[in-house]
Amino acid sequence: LMGLAALLTIKDPVRAGPVFVRPTSRSARRLAPLAANPAFRHLCLGASAASMGGYGLVAFLGVHLAERYGLSISAIGLGLGFVIGVGGGIGAYAGGAIGARLARAGASPLLPGVAGLCAAAFALLWALRAETAPLAFAGLFVVSIFNAFWYGPV
């Protein structure tokens, strides 16, 4: 309703030139092969979905850890920073190493991502039901490792 009221009551300023500028033919030529590539489109869609889910989870985890375990904001930030940073680094490196080894053996490049997704789901359920904060952070560390598996092969 606020948007409709603003649209009806606020006048748009007069502009000297066009607001939208079409991309140059040079940039369109460069982006056209990417837009036509189904693998690139699927990669972008998957990365977007994973990022959206990850950001939502991190926003939820702060509240969950504070409510369930009574942790302070600084303890939550320090714990999640370590878990996500170090665990993600280990996961990206391990995913790349495992993906390269599997590629040499002729296995599917999807294998590290699928395995990581399955393991992360179980570890997340365990972390959310943990009795103590250290056990929850340990579970989230495992989640972070497996969640970052797909970064390495990509």
Side-chain angles (χ1 to χ4, degrees):
L1 291 175
M2 299 273 303
L4 182 60
L7 181 67
L8 295 174
T9 59
I10 299 174
K11 291 189 177 190
D12 200 20
V14 179
R15 293 183 176 88
V19 176
F20 176 75
V21 178
R22 292 187 183 269
T24 64
S25 61
R26 185 173 153 189
S27 64
R29 280 195 317 263
R30 288 181 179 173
L31 293 177
L34 286 177
N37 185 342
F40 180 76
R41 290 195 311 261
H42 292 142
L43 178 66
C44 288
L45 184 64
S48 298
S51 294
M52 247 183 4
Y55 295 139
L57 179 64
V58 168
F60 163 76
L61 283 176
V63 175
H64 174 72
L65 293 169
E67 292 289 323
R68 181 158 175 131
Y69 305 110
L71 297 177
S72 67
I73 293 174
S74 60
I76 293 169
L78 184 64
L80 286 178
F82 176 79
V83 162
I84 294 169
V86 175
I90 291 170
Y93 181 78
I98 292 169
R101 186 170 292 180
L102 289 174
R104 284 192 299 272
S108 170
L110 296 175
L111 194 59
V114 172
L117 180 63
C118 294
F122 288 113
L124 181 61
L125 290 174
W126 176 63
L128 293 178
R129 299 183 52 85
E131 294 296 323
T132 65
L135 284 176
F137 280 118
L140 292 172
F141 188 76
V142 173
V143 170
S144 186
I145 289 172
F146 286 114
N147 186 44
F149 251 43
W150 72 276
Y151 297 151
V154 171

